[in-house]
Amino acid sequence: MRFFKVVGGAIPSLIVLMRVLFGVGWLLAGVTKLIENSWYKEPGVFLSEYLLDSLQNPNVPTFYKIFVENVVLEQVLIFNYVIPITQIMLGIFLIVGLFTIPSILVCLFMHINFILSGNINVISLFLYTNAFSLIIFRRYIYHFSLDKYFNLYTFFSVNLNNIRQNDSPPSKKESLFSNS
C-alpha cells in the first residue's frame, strides 16, 4: 500500500518533467532550424523540396496533397519563417508552463501535419503520444507553471459542477419569474 502512495505522489512531478522535456524538444527543433544552414541559406528551398517529396509519397492522403499544393506551396516563404518561430515559442511556453493547453493543442496540430505529410517515425509518434498524455493528465501539468502562478489554468478547465447546475430543470420559483 505504501508503494502506491509513493508512486501516486510522484505522478505530478513526472508529468511536469514530461511537459518540460516536451517543451525542450520543441525548442530544440525550432533552434535547429534557425542555426541550420539549409533552412535559411536559401529560404523556402528546403521546405519546398520536403513538401514536393511528400506529394510523391503514396501514403499522403489526397486531401492533404491538395492542401499542400494550393495553400502551403503558394505561401512557402511564410511557412519557412513561421514554423521555427512557432516551435521556439511553443517550447518556451511548455517549459515555463504558460498557456500550456493551447500550446499542446498547437503542437498536436503541427504533429498531425507532420504525420500527414508522410513522415512517420518513432520520434514523431513518441512526441504525438506525449502530447496526448499531457492532455489526459492535464490536472498535473500546472504544477510549477506560470499558468498556476497567474491563475490562467482556470481559463482552460471545464467545471463540470457548473455545467450540471446550469442544465438542471428550473425550480418552480425560477419558472414563475422567467415568464414575466
Side-chain angles (χ1 to χ4, degrees):
M1 194 58 115
R2 179 172 158 79
F3 172 76
F4 292 114
K5 286 183 181 181
V6 170
V7 171
I11 288 177
S13 299
L14 292 174
I15 299 301
V16 169
L17 179 64
M18 189 179 349
R19 183 197 78 210
V20 170
L21 291 176
F22 188 60
V24 168
W26 278 95
L27 181 65
L28 290 176
V31 169
T32 302
K33 286 177 182 65
L34 284 180
I35 62 175
E36 194 174 271
N37 287 335
S38 63
W39 192 265
Y40 283 116
K41 187 176 182 180
E42 297 176 40
V45 173
F46 178 80
L47 187 57
S48 294
E49 289 173 358
Y50 172 80
L51 293 170
L52 290 171
D53 286 344
S54 73
L55 292 175
Q56 304 305 318
N57 189 339
N59 295 331
V60 176
T62 306
F63 76 90
Y64 196 74
K65 287 181 180 181
I66 293 169
F67 170 72
V68 167
E69 287 175 343
N70 297 318
V71 177
V72 182
L73 284 173
E74 297 291 325
Q75 306 298 327
V76 74
L77 284 177
I78 293 172
F79 284 100
N80 191 72
Y81 292 104
V82 168
I83 289 171
I85 292 168
T86 304
Q87 288 177 327
I88 290 170
M89 287 175 43
L90 290 171
I92 292 169
F93 284 166
L94 288 167
I95 291 168
V96 300
L98 185 63
F99 307 119
T100 309
I101 293 294
S103 296
I104 293 170
L105 293 175
V106 172
C107 289
L108 277 172
F109 174 74
M110 291 179 77
H111 275 300
I112 289 169
N113 280 286
F114 189 69
I115 290 170
L116 284 174
S117 71
N119 199 345
I120 298 176
N121 57 35
V122 175
I123 294 172
S124 65
L125 292 176
F126 175 75
L127 291 173
Y128 190 70
T129 305
N130 192 5
F132 273 112
S133 299
L134 289 172
I135 289 176
I136 290 169
F137 294 106
R138 67 186 170 273
R139 184 170 131 197
Y140 303 114
I141 62 174
Y142 297 114
H143 293 280
F144 306 113
S145 71
L146 290 178
D147 281 340
K148 187 171 185 176
Y149 181 77
F150 293 120
N151 283 333
L152 296 175
Y153 66 96
T154 58
F155 291 123
F156 310 115
S157 63
V158 176
N159 189 346
L160 295 177
N161 293 331
N162 287 343
I163 292 173
R164 289 186 190 125
Q165 288 174 353
N166 292 337
D167 288 344
S168 63
S171 65
K172 288 184 181 181
K173 287 184 181 180
E174 289 175 349
S175 62
L176 288 175
F177 293 114
S178 64
N179 290 333
S180 49

